[in-house]
Amino acid sequence: MVKICGGEMIVPAGGKVTDAQMAEAWPEVIVLAWAATGGKSDPEQAYRVEAWKDVPAIRERRVFVVRDELLNTPGPPLMRGVLELWKVLHRRKEIKR
């Protein structure tokens, strides 16, 4: 889905990633989609991770939440998830202009 939306996954999808691995990956955007939390994921938690303080996504406040069911449920929800990812990734490009 990320590739379809013009992005690139730089950490393994769905797996546990350490703070150090995330910092080393140097993401421009972080998309949170924690399972079983719906819309309750809090991007502010990402901004408090000390190991990430220099990561571009953190410095430029580009941490976004997409409801996990929109990324993991086949059918119409998945299509809505693609739209949400598209908006997030292209919002970043608009900000940089």
Side-chain angles (χ1 to χ4, degrees):
M1 289 174 62
V2 171
K3 188 174 183 176
I4 289 170
C5 293
E8 177 186 354
M9 290 289 295
I10 58 173
V11 295
K16 180 95 171 130
V17 178
T18 67
D19 289 348
Q21 288 171 312
M22 180 63 95
E24 185 177 307
W26 208 248
E28 293 179 28
V29 174
I30 296 173
V31 177
L32 304 175
W34 290 313
T37 59
K40 296 180 183 177
S41 296
D42 181 7
E44 290 303 316
Q45 291 179 18
Y47 296 115
R48 292 190 291 266
V49 177
E50 184 63 27
W52 298 358
K53 68 181 180 187
D54 295 323
V55 169
I58 299 299
R59 281 195 334 259
E60 299 174 26
R61 301 209 48 92
R62 293 189 308 239
V63 178
F64 304 98
V65 175
V66 175
R67 294 175 59 116
D68 66 297
E69 61 267 20
L70 298 181
L71 302 176
N72 298 311
T73 306
L78 198 61
M79 296 307 296
R80 287 183 38 219
V82 168
L83 179 59
E84 290 299 313
L85 271 177
W86 180 271
K87 289 177 184 177
V88 163
L89 294 176
H90 292 277
R91 178 182 315 150
R92 174 190 64 82
K93 291 176 184 174
E94 291 171 7
I95 291 170
K96 290 184 98 173
R97 289 186 188 157

